[in-house]
Every structure is written in C-alpha cells, then in structure tokens.
Amino acid sequence: MNTWIARRLGATPAERGSLGNASCPDLFELNDGRFAVIGTDMTAELDDALPSDASRADYERIVVITRETLLRAKGDIAGL
C-alpha cells in the first residue's frame, strides 16, 4: 500500500503569516491514519531531556512545531 498525504490539519503556512510559504511547520493526516509533521529537528537539544519513561529509536527524531501551528490544527484534530 502506498502512503500519501490525505489532508492538511490546520491553516496553511501562508494563512499563518509565512511570506515565502517556505520552511514552515505543518501537520498532515496520511491515508493510512498516521500523521506527518514538518518541523525543526531538535533531537540533539532535547534527547537528554526526555522523561525517564520516554524513549526514541535511532531512526526517530524529536521534531518541534510552533504553538500556533498546533493550535490552528486543533479543530481538525478534534474532529478525527
């Protein structure tokens, strides 16, 4: 089964004020029910700060998005 982006959750980068519509965080729902996040890779900065009951695999990254990005997606997320 091929995976693809089914829809964006929340506002587009332009709607959130991105002038160049580039390098902006974003959230997407995939056709298989998973989610994709475009954000800043902060694995090196936050890896040691993870709570003791949290971990990540070598192929996983800690990705940060802006508060506004998540809040603008809140309505779409609530409807899932």
Side-chain angles (χ1 to χ4, degrees), residues 10-60:
T12 68
E15 291 170 325
R16 293 192 316 268
S18 172
L19 299 177
N21 203 23
S23 301
C24 295
D26 227 330
L27 296 169
F28 301 97
E29 182 177 4
L30 303 178
N31 67 304
D32 62 7
R34 295 180 298 163
F35 298 91
V37 178
I38 297 174
T40 303
D41 182 352
M42 293 193 63
T43 304
E45 294 88 341
L46 296 174
D47 207 30
D48 290 338
L50 287 173
S52 61
D53 60 350
S55 63
R56 63 171 191 83
D58 288 341
Y59 59 87
E60 295 174 320

